[in-house]
Amino acid sequence: MTGILAGKSALVTGGASGIGRATALAMAREGARVAVADMTEASAAATVELIIAAGGQAIALAGDVAKEADVATLVARSVAAFGRLDCAFNNAGISPRDVGPAGQRTHEMSRASFDDMLAVNLTGVFLCMKYEIAQMLAQGGGSIVNTASIAGLVGLPSASNYVASKHGVVGITKTAAMEYASDKIRVNCVNPGYIKTPMTDPTMAERYDALMTKVPMSRLGLPEEIAEAVVWMLSDKASFMTGASQIIDGGYYAA
Ligand SMILES: NC(=O)c1ccc[n+]([C@@H]2O[C@H](COP(=O)([O-])OP(=O)(O)OC[C@H]3O[C@@H](n4cnc5c(N)ncnc54)[C@H](O)[C@@H]3O)[C@@H](O)[C@H]2O)c1
């Protein structure tokens, strides 16, 4: 296969849906062999089927990124399947609705809701980087992109837990970029605005018009519009890019 990821081996978490699925497909289109990871093997396998139908190579893996043993296994199985790990997209994530009632301000939010959010969105990214970087050090380099959010750069009412997790992702991305720059490992994050995925469907059903007044392009982004940037950031085309927070938000942050 030709493409900007030709010959590369990749891992994507949250690859069964939304941004992760679109990026797994784009990675494969650009020539990568892709390990698609999600909570269940059946959900990841649906993405793998799409990749194989398009002529690409992929395997499905199951694991919870909040569990260290699962993450260690995901990375080990990716390497066992493809021999190395060149590109990693740490993208699995949840929204405030997954850990508590919608619409809670900070004083209303439970400790459990805050902890459960950080366990997936922040600790999950940390654990993935920990095991991926160990492999990349052993093989002599690699490239990582973490999924943050515009919520990693600004506050969002009723989302203290989510905002904390995504600000944390931006911070550990910058730190790892500094730590491993001399080891030929680049670490960046992507900061999507409002994107049309199953995660945002319930919010958009309630507040689409109000939220779109904050977006200069007046529309939701598509998962594919994040995927194209992530694939480029993971590729050798982005060889001088590390520690960056790449905003892709239809102008939200600029407004
Ligand atoms: N959709 C948006 O508007 C938007 C904006 C900014 C950032 N993001 C971020 O993008 C990422 C992908 O979100 P999406 O919109 O594609 O949502 P999505 O719900 O379509 O996909 C998320 C995937 O992550 C998986 N996942 C959740 N918890 C997991 C865990 N503990 N271990 C393994 N997999 C797990 C889910 O099963 C799902 O397949 C998330 O990190 C999200 O915070 C989304």
Side-chain angles (χ1 to χ4, degrees):
M1 268 222 180
T2 56
I4 63 173
L5 296 180
K8 307 275 194 196
S9 299
L11 169 64
V12 49
T13 66
S17 179
I19 294 168
R21 170 172 285 179
T23 305
L25 283 159
M27 286 169 163
R29 183 200 71 210
E30 291 300 326
R33 294 167 296 178
V34 187
V36 180
D38 211 293
M39 290 292 280
T40 67
E41 194 166 329
S43 63
T47 300
V48 169
E49 282 172 26
L50 294 172
I51 290 173
I52 289 171
Q57 275 188 68
I59 58 163
L61 300 176
D64 179 346
V65 297
K67 295 184 177 156
E68 182 163 1
D70 283 18
V71 173
T73 302
L74 286 180
V75 173
R77 289 186 61 194
S78 302
V79 174
F82 299 137
R84 49 190 287 121
L85 180 65
D86 302 295
C87 306
F89 182 38
N90 300 322
N91 164 77
I94 56 175
S95 80
R97 288 171 192 266
D98 294 314
V99 289
Q104 290 189 315
R105 290 184 291 164
T106 301
H107 77 284
E108 298 161 324
M109 195 172 276
S110 70
R111 165 80 190 261
S113 157
F114 196 83
D115 288 349
D116 291 350
M117 173 67 72
L118 291 191
V120 176
N121 285 15
L122 181 56
T123 307
V125 171
F126 161 72
L127 290 171
C128 287
M129 287 208 295
K130 175 178 167 65
Y131 287 90
E132 292 157 0
I133 288 169
Q135 170 61 29
M136 289 174 179
L137 285 170
Q139 70 191 24
S143 177
I144 294 172
V145 173
N146 299 319
T147 302
S149 166
I150 48 171
L153 303 169
V154 300
L156 287 181
S158 305
S160 265
N161 50 4
Y162 187 78
V163 166
S165 72
K166 295 301 187 179
H167 274 70
V169 169
V170 172
I172 61 174
T173 297
K174 290 176 182 170
T175 298
M178 294 168 72
E179 289 173 339
Y180 301 104
S182 61
D183 298 298
K184 299 187 170 58
I185 300 171
R186 296 185 301 104
V187 188
N188 294 289
C189 65
V190 68
N191 299 71
Y194 293 113
I195 309 300
K196 181 163 179 40
T197 72
M199 180 182 283
T200 50
D201 280 348
T203 304
M204 293 306 152
E206 290 168 13
R207 294 195 288 139
Y208 179 84
D209 289 340
L211 290 173
M212 287 308 111
T213 64
K214 301 174 192 295
V215 182
M217 291 180 81
S218 304
R219 68 169 175 88
L220 291 173
L222 299 175
E224 292 76 12
E225 293 176 305
I226 306 304
E228 295 304 324
V230 171
V231 164
W232 182 82
M233 291 162 73
L234 286 169
S235 81
D236 295 338
K237 300 269 185 197
S239 50
F240 198 51
M241 184 181 201
T242 200
S245 274
Q246 182 59 59
I247 298 167
I248 306 170
D249 67 351
Y252 178 103
Y253 189 72

